[in-house]
Amino acid sequence: MSKELLPDKNGRFGVYGGRYVAETLVPALEELSEQYEFIKKDKNFLKEFRDDLTHYVGRPSPLYFAKRWTELLGGAKIFLKREDLNHTGAHKINNTVGQILLAKHMGKKRIIAETGAGQHGVASATVAARHGLECLVYMGEEDIQRQSLNVFRMKLLGAEVIGVSSGTSTLKDAMNEAMRDWVTNVDDTYYIIGSVAGPHPYPQIVRDFNAVVGEEVLEQSKTEIGQDPDVLVACVGGGSNAMGLFYPFIENKNVRLIGVEAGGLGLSSGKHAAPLNDGKEGVLHGMRTYLMQDDSGQITETHSVSAGLDYPGVGPEHAWLKDIGRAEYVTADDEEALEAFKELTRIEGIMPALETAHGIAHVKKIAPSMSKEQSIVVNVSGRGDKDINTVADIEGIEL
Amino acid sequence: MTSRIKETFSKVNAQDQTALITYIVSGDPDLDTTLKIMDTMVEEGADIIELGIPFSDPMAEGISIQRGHERALKKGTSLKSALDLVKKFRSTNSITPIVFMGYMNTFESMGAERFMIEAVDVGVDGILIVDMPPEESSSFSEQAKKYDIDIIRLIAPTTSSERAQKISSQSSGYIYYISVKGITGASNIDSDDVKDKVGILRTYTDLPIAIGFGIKDSDSASSVKDVADGIVAGSVFVDLIGQGEDIIEKVASKTKELSKVLQ
């Protein structure tokens, strides 16, 4: 297994991935692949991308030792990869900073994006504003309700937010609608997909632009931990923050990789968003991967307290890492995530996004039984300000 | 056995006409009505029926057909029940070709081979899987060949000549030329561009060429009928069905109108 070789030339990670789209988009995806292969070796592009990560995003993000939380759990040392400190408050900006440069290189004038929690929408609107490009963000009506703060942020940034009321009115439907827009306006429009999902080459592009997270952890571990971490933990919706953290470690098999899916009301309830734990292989949004689906192949409704994890599919590279046994995928349910959200906020003064809180919840489960010499790095993929309405709602508090 | 699709195009071509291919969603608004609609369409001049297989995430469809899929799913329609529907249809009609048009996941969920066996058994003539370009279709292509089911493929305005050649060589039944960059029910058809592209396509293939995605009325149908062997009309019918009243009468008159234009 050599990670350099994946995806293969057909966009495959094992049997997963590929390019399952209507013919109109095939030539556009072929062009995108070609342009990306060119640009990723181009010195000027790489310099611009790195400069933007440093001066605009604020990288590197710290690897912070959570001393009080470590003491509380009484086991492994816990380190937080602080993606929440990035400009716009999440890891999502890493990818959009890269893709907007690709869009400009391709001469596209109009940017579209889908968003669930709104973090990717904000990150897309942000880079579009900075480069003076028109930006449209598709967002499920249900998510517009629960993430109203991010909707307003996008509007302030000059983006148009288009509500999607088809299907389940969440992230997957926003993605359908963005695809429909792209197929109609393919000549002048660049579609910034926000996760390691969709047709090839998106899972590769989004992974590569987020891999800076894992690359920094690799370096920072040398000084902050003194060795490689024993375990990496990240939440998984589509899986971009997890893939970014995991990717540089894939060949280093001494490091355990754990992805945490949204357990919703519990796996046995069926009301969750955990396709790697309770889904089966299928095709959606241009990719072959694990999906939440019924016996007739219809995509089923998902449930999660966090809008960003409320997605019935998962990036194809995660499906592959699961099958070959390189990464483990577990779940944390809504209640556990909320508890973790509160605990990290109170003990470290760091309020994680509800998505991130799923990863935090899993650390709570495994850290106590690990030795004090061992270490865990958990990706704090985003900050939780956007979720205070949701949390207040659940607590029955009116703001 | 000569295929029904081939037979139909030979007949239509011999009369110097253009085939009318009508699209509706199986189970929209319910399976009994779909059967009546199919019979009515044939009576009023439809030559081939494309039966949409409802899917929760029909990415290539405009709003009209999306709603059709949603209505059909609400009634619990599946690929299996669409096969049963064709069986009933065939008890009174052994001539009109039926093509299943849908999305990969529903077909794959049944399994390529199991689907082909049942499709042959009930009398389905072809399949058009929207999100299955040639590169991703090996198992379906193999099974379709084995069971003599036509694989109808899409060619788009964005498709290069080289690619169009490759797609044509892996198609059977007919080629479905997408007349617009966009989704079903789009309204920006450019008939000159369609004429050019279809003209080029003719140099690669002897298969009949059907044009669809932007045909909604007699005007748009007549603007491209001379270059095509068939015209596909879908959203216009699904819209009428969505109105919910006097469906059969409305479908009958629209079919008649379009059929007349194509004669």
Side-chain angles (χ1 to χ4, degrees):
Chain A
M1 172 176 70
S2 172
K3 68 187 168 76
E4 292 301 330
L5 295 174
L6 291 175
D8 67 16
K9 65 178 180 6
N10 300 314
R12 298 265 171 197
F13 304 90
V15 300
Y16 302 107
R19 199 177 262 164
Y20 297 85
V21 293
E23 175 57 26
T24 315
L25 286 181
V26 174
L29 290 164
E30 283 177 345
E31 192 202 350
L32 182 60
S33 287
E34 250 171 58
Q35 298 285 341
Y36 177 63
E37 288 304 316
F38 170 80
I39 207 174
K40 78 177 190 188
K41 292 177 198 125
D42 181 65
K43 279 193 190 121
N44 294 330
F45 166 76
L46 291 173
K47 182 176 183 309
E48 202 174 351
F49 178 52
R50 286 191 194 121
D51 282 353
D52 282 354
L53 289 180
T54 306
H55 302 292
Y56 191 65
V57 177
R59 303 206 70 91
S61 68
L63 185 65
Y64 163 79
F65 176 48
K67 186 161 172 284
R68 288 191 71 219
W69 195 31
T70 297
E71 282 166 10
L72 177 80
L73 296 179
K77 292 191 284 287
I78 304 163
F79 292 83
L80 309 180
K81 180 57 176 166
R82 298 291 310 277
E83 291 300 293
D84 58 317
L85 293 179
N86 291 341
H87 180 43
T88 73
H91 72 287
K92 293 288 186 190
I93 191 84
N94 302 323
N95 168 48
T96 60
V97 159
Q99 286 204 54
I100 198 92
L101 294 178
L102 184 50
K104 282 186 82 174
H105 170 76
M106 293 174 73
K108 305 291 183 184
K109 302 274 178 259
R110 181 172 172 270
I111 299 298
I112 58 169
E114 85 294 335
T115 198
Q119 289 302 117
H120 174 59
V122 167
S124 298
T126 297
V127 295
R130 181 174 173 232
H131 289 274
L133 298 176
E134 184 191 350
C135 180
L136 268 84
V137 180
Y138 290 93
M139 189 168 186
E141 288 288 355
E142 189 184 323
D143 293 338
I144 286 180
Q145 296 304 318
R146 55 181 168 174
Q147 302 287 349
S148 55
L149 191 66
N150 272 343
V151 174
F152 189 54
R153 286 171 81 192
M154 286 183 266
K155 287 182 180 164
L156 287 173
L157 287 160
E160 191 180 338
V161 179
I162 299 174
V164 178
S165 60
S166 58
T168 56
S169 305
T170 59
L171 179 54
K172 83 170 172 75
D173 308 289
M175 200 157 173
N176 289 334
E177 211 50 40
M179 285 278 186
R180 290 179 186 122
D181 180 314
W182 195 33
V183 83
T184 307
N185 301 293
V186 63
D187 292 333
D188 71 343
T189 296
Y190 186 97
Y191 178 18
I192 303 186
I193 290 185
S195 195
V196 287
H200 176 64
Y202 281 106
Q204 177 188 8
I205 292 177
V206 180
R207 175 199 69 192
D208 291 352
F209 287 152
N210 270 305
V212 63
V213 177
E215 283 156 12
E216 285 174 7
V217 169
L218 205 56
E219 279 306 306
Q220 291 165 327
S221 298
K222 289 177 189 161
T223 49
E224 302 304 314
I225 308 176
Q227 59 187 38
D228 283 341
D230 295 280
V231 183
L232 302 180
V233 177
C235 64
V236 175
S240 63
N241 91 80
M243 215 50 244
L245 177 64
F246 293 173
Y247 185 58
F249 288 90
I250 287 179
E251 288 182 324
N252 183 352
K253 291 192 184 152
N254 296 322
V255 181
R256 267 177 82 188
L257 310 176
I258 305 178
V260 187
E261 293 193 304
L265 303 179
L267 270 190
S268 57
S269 71
K271 292 186 188 312
H272 56 76
L276 289 169
N277 280 276
D278 191 32
K280 61 176 188 196
E281 186 188 325
V283 172
L284 179 70
H285 293 152
M287 61 179 164
R288 176 177 298 283
T289 187
Y290 280 88
L291 298 173
M292 305 268 296
Q293 56 180 312
D294 68 15
D295 292 340
S296 306
Q298 305 297 342
I299 306 306
T300 50
E301 202 166 335
T302 52
H303 171 86
S304 171
V305 68
S306 78
L309 302 184
D310 212 347
Y311 181 66
V314 64
E317 194 162 8
H318 285 295
W320 175 72
L321 289 174
K322 173 192 159 72
D323 278 14
I324 62 167
R326 178 61 192 95
E328 303 154 54
Y329 294 91
V330 298
T331 60
D333 63 27
D334 286 355
E335 218 171 290
E336 291 167 331
L338 282 163
E339 204 181 301
F341 171 90
K342 287 182 209 156
E343 183 168 300
L344 195 70
T345 303
R346 291 297 291 271
I347 201 137
E348 292 290 348
I350 293 171
M351 188 183 293
L354 281 176
E355 290 77 15
T356 305
H358 288 73
I360 304 296
H362 191 67
V363 172
K364 274 163 62 74
K365 291 179 198 169
I366 61 170
S369 60
M370 289 170 67
S371 83
K372 290 184 175 170
E373 282 67 50
Q374 291 182 299
S375 58
I376 300 172
V377 171
V378 57
N379 198 3
V380 182
S381 53
R383 69 179 188 219
D385 314 42
K386 69 181 179 58
D387 293 311
I388 51 174
N389 286 322
T390 305
V391 175
D393 231 24
I394 291 167
E395 310 260 289
I397 297 164
E398 211 165 308
L399 295 180
Chain B
M1 192 181 87
T2 322
S3 82
R4 288 188 196 99
I5 292 177
K6 208 171 181 178
E7 202 106 297
T8 299
F9 279 108
S10 309
K11 198 185 86 195
V12 171
N13 281 341
Q15 295 167 341
D16 210 20
Q17 293 177 353
T18 306
L20 174 61
I21 304 171
T22 55
Y23 170 100
I24 46 172
V25 181
S26 172
D28 172 26
D30 57 67
L31 286 162
D32 289 342
T33 311
T34 304
L35 182 60
K36 278 184 213 149
I37 293 171
M38 291 165 80
D39 290 335
T40 304
M41 284 176 152
V42 173
E43 269 166 40
E44 302 298 341
D47 299 292
I48 296 174
I49 293 175
E50 286 182 353
L51 207 49
I53 307 302
F55 182 48
S56 50
D57 295 82
M59 255 174 18
E61 314 298 347
I63 190 69
S64 302
I65 295 181
Q66 283 176 47
R67 294 286 179 250
H69 281 243
E70 284 174 10
R71 288 190 296 268
L73 285 175
K74 262 194 195 132
K75 292 284 167 68
T77 315
S78 62
L79 181 54
K80 182 79 188 90
S81 61
L83 287 161
D84 295 340
L85 172 66
V86 175
K87 195 170 188 171
K88 281 188 191 155
F89 175 77
R90 283 278 173 250
S91 67
T92 59
N93 183 323
S94 58
I95 297 166
T96 309
I98 301 289
V99 171
F100 274 15
M101 181 169 182
Y103 291 81
M104 188 89 179
N105 206 52
T106 43
F107 289 92
E108 217 183 65
S109 175
M110 180 175 278
E113 180 152 31
R114 198 184 130 209
F115 168 74
M116 297 299 170
I117 292 171
E118 297 202 20
V120 168
D121 184 47
V122 300
V124 173
D125 302 280
I127 55 167
L128 195 176
I129 302 180
V130 179
D131 53 353
M132 187 183 78
E135 293 82 1
E136 308 290 1
S137 67
S138 56
S139 68
F140 278 91
S141 303
E142 249 168 58
Q143 296 300 331
K145 209 167 194 178
K146 183 170 163 194
Y147 290 96
D148 222 7
I149 296 274
D150 283 326
I151 289 217
I152 290 115
R153 293 190 187 281
L154 301 168
I155 289 181
T158 52
T159 309
S160 67
S161 303
E162 194 187 4
R163 199 174 152 75
Q165 236 167 320
K166 173 176 143 191
I167 296 172
S168 304
S169 72
Q170 294 181 40
S171 302
S172 57
Y174 55 96
I175 304 266
Y176 190 130
Y177 182 74
I178 301 175
S179 61
V180 294
K181 288 174 195 154
I183 49 182
T184 52
S187 55
N188 50 337
I189 188 166
D190 174 352
S191 57
D192 289 336
D193 185 58
V194 171
K195 281 172 194 169
D196 290 348
K197 294 276 173 51
V198 171
I200 298 168
L201 206 49
R202 295 272 183 212
T203 64
Y204 309 137
T205 182
D206 295 329
L207 285 172
I209 297 172
I211 296 174
F213 268 48
I215 316 289
K216 43 174 41 172
D217 49 26
S218 345
D219 283 352
S220 44
S222 63
S223 75
V224 290
K225 70 164 183 170
D226 292 340
V227 289
D229 301 290
I231 295 288
V232 188
S235 299
V236 60
F237 289 111
V238 179
D239 259 344
L240 292 175
I241 293 165
Q243 290 171 10
E245 280 167 9
D246 308 320
I247 292 174
I248 302 297
E249 292 74 12
K250 286 176 182 165
V251 166
S253 101
K254 183 54 77 177
T255 310
K256 191 184 266 176
E257 176 197 328
L258 289 171
S259 166
K260 214 165 163 189
V261 175
L262 300 183
Q263 277 173 9

